[in-house]
Amino acid sequence: MRLTVDSRSVNESYCRVAVAAFAAQLDPTVEEISDIKTFVSEAVTNCIVHAYLSIPGKIYITASLTEDNTLIVRIRDKGIGIADVSKAREPLFTTGGDDRSGLGFSVMECFSDKLKVVSKEGVGTTVTIYKHIRGKNGNEA
Amino acid sequence: MQVLFKAEKDMLTVFLSGDIDHHTSKNIREAIDSELQRIMPSVLKLDFRDVHFMDSSGVGLVMGRYKTALVYGCEVYVVHMPDTVEKIMRMSGLGSLITFERD
Ligand SMILES: Nc1ncnc2c1ncn2[C@@H]1O[C@H](COP(=O)(O)OP(=O)(O)OP(=O)(O)O)[C@@H](O)[C@H]1O
Ligand SMILES: [Mg+2]
């Protein structure tokens, strides 16, 4: 699936629900659905509050499934980019001020199997999240 | 997303419901802060019983209310967290500052 949305906060719930609905074909458990919604919400929110803080833009989401029942979600922006990705991924690191906890990347990591972050200042950021879906009846890996 | 309040003696209970994300947390924050300012309770209880979704914005929300409450010398309790909410809240280390109660 492919989804492009404006960087407006009203779209956060739509994006996470859309990806969770796409993954529904693997019959995920309630916890897996919640994990998917959470990591999508984290990545999309980062595009809105960090990447496009001053100049709004588009958020590009793709999701696919592999033969071994892994959900791959890619969330890309053409915003300000991240100067130091490994620093940004440290728990509690934030440039977001009082309302942000600096937990977004930790949550994405913890709720998935693998997280890849590629970013270039002034160009944008691509976050790729991999999650094997066991499903209610135990899908094969 | 809806925020309901119950004030009794010097305790303010906030009943949160629906989804807590970056979009909804702005209104929730404003609602709680104006009520905190009006009542100046000595105990603030945040009840998550009817919250169906929460991301790290919810952690930021609780952390911020903890800081605001501290100014009034008010203690903060987070109660009735569903498993999915607790999974994130535990990651934050907020449990060392705020009391989590299951029931
Ligand atoms: N898409 C992005 N574009 C630019 N900077 C980003 C992006 N995503 C993350 N960052 C940077 O990485 C930091 C850490 O992100 P993370 O999601 O872990 O925490 P946060 O967004 O600051 O807080 P929280 O997610 O808990 O609300 C951000 O503060 C920001 O500086
Ligand atoms: Mg974030």
Side-chain angles (χ1 to χ4, degrees):
Chain A
M1 73 164 250
R2 206 174 269 280
L3 180 66
T4 303
V5 298
D6 290 335
S7 60
R8 299 174 56 219
S9 65
V10 271
N11 291 326
E12 290 159 4
S13 70
Y14 173 61
C15 292
R16 64 181 177 255
V17 169
V19 176
F22 172 77
Q25 54 195 295
L26 289 180
D27 204 18
T29 63
V30 172
E31 186 175 11
E32 284 169 334
I33 294 170
S34 169
D35 289 353
I36 294 164
K37 284 188 188 166
T38 308
F39 65 63
V40 171
S41 199
E42 295 297 346
V44 168
T45 301
N46 279 352
C47 300
I48 296 166
V49 301
H50 304 299
Y52 295 125
L53 174 67
S54 37
I55 308 156
K58 302 268 186 211
I59 303 167
Y60 307 88
I61 302 172
T62 63
S64 57
L65 299 169
T66 65
E67 269 172 29
D68 61 358
N69 302 307
T70 297
L71 170 69
I72 305 175
V73 185
R74 202 186 66 191
I75 296 169
R76 188 164 66 91
D77 67 68
K78 296 182 180 171
I80 60 168
I82 302 171
D84 184 343
V85 171
S86 52
K87 184 153 186 106
R89 289 179 66 158
E90 282 172 17
L92 307 180
F93 175 86
T94 182
T95 56
D98 248 12
D99 296 328
R100 312 250 61 93
S101 59
L103 278 181
F105 280 132
S106 308
V107 168
M108 286 183 246
E109 244 166 60
C110 174
F111 287 31
S112 70
D113 296 315
K114 190 165 93 182
L115 169 71
K116 276 205 309 202
V117 184
V118 178
S119 188
K120 199 166 177 215
E121 270 185 292
V123 177
T125 302
T126 304
V127 169
T128 313
I129 304 157
Y130 303 78
K131 187 175 178 66
H132 175 249
I133 307 297
R134 291 185 60 84
K136 292 190 196 101
N137 305 309
N139 292 321
E140 306 256 316
Chain B
M1 186 72 222
Q2 216 195 133
V3 193
L4 295 172
F5 296 97
K6 189 174 85 184
E8 49 188 353
K9 295 204 182 115
D10 46 7
M11 178 165 89
L12 175 66
T13 307
V14 183
F15 297 94
L16 302 155
S17 62
D19 288 11
I20 303 182
D21 61 13
H22 159 249
H23 180 68
T24 59
S25 61
K26 184 172 176 280
N27 287 335
I28 303 170
R29 182 175 64 238
E30 286 169 4
I32 297 176
D33 283 356
S34 77
E35 203 65 6
L36 258 181
Q37 207 164 45
R38 198 171 69 83
I39 294 178
M40 295 200 198
S42 56
V43 175
L44 173 68
K45 260 193 191 190
L46 302 171
D47 192 322
F48 280 77
R49 173 183 343 224
D50 292 318
V51 173
H52 301 122
F53 173 85
M54 188 185 97
D55 64 20
S56 66
S57 305
V59 175
L61 179 80
V62 173
M63 210 181 270
R65 281 347 89 216
Y66 169 75
K67 287 182 191 159
T68 311
L70 206 60
V71 177
Y72 301 106
C74 168
E75 251 183 291
V76 182
Y77 291 80
V78 170
V79 302
H80 298 130
M81 276 186 284
D83 291 345
T84 52
V85 171
E86 186 159 355
K87 196 168 163 183
I88 291 203
M89 212 67 96
R90 292 262 171 226
M91 288 182 61
S92 69
L94 270 177
S96 58
L97 304 172
I98 294 171
T99 310
F100 295 163
E101 280 178 4
R102 288 213 76 112
D103 26 52

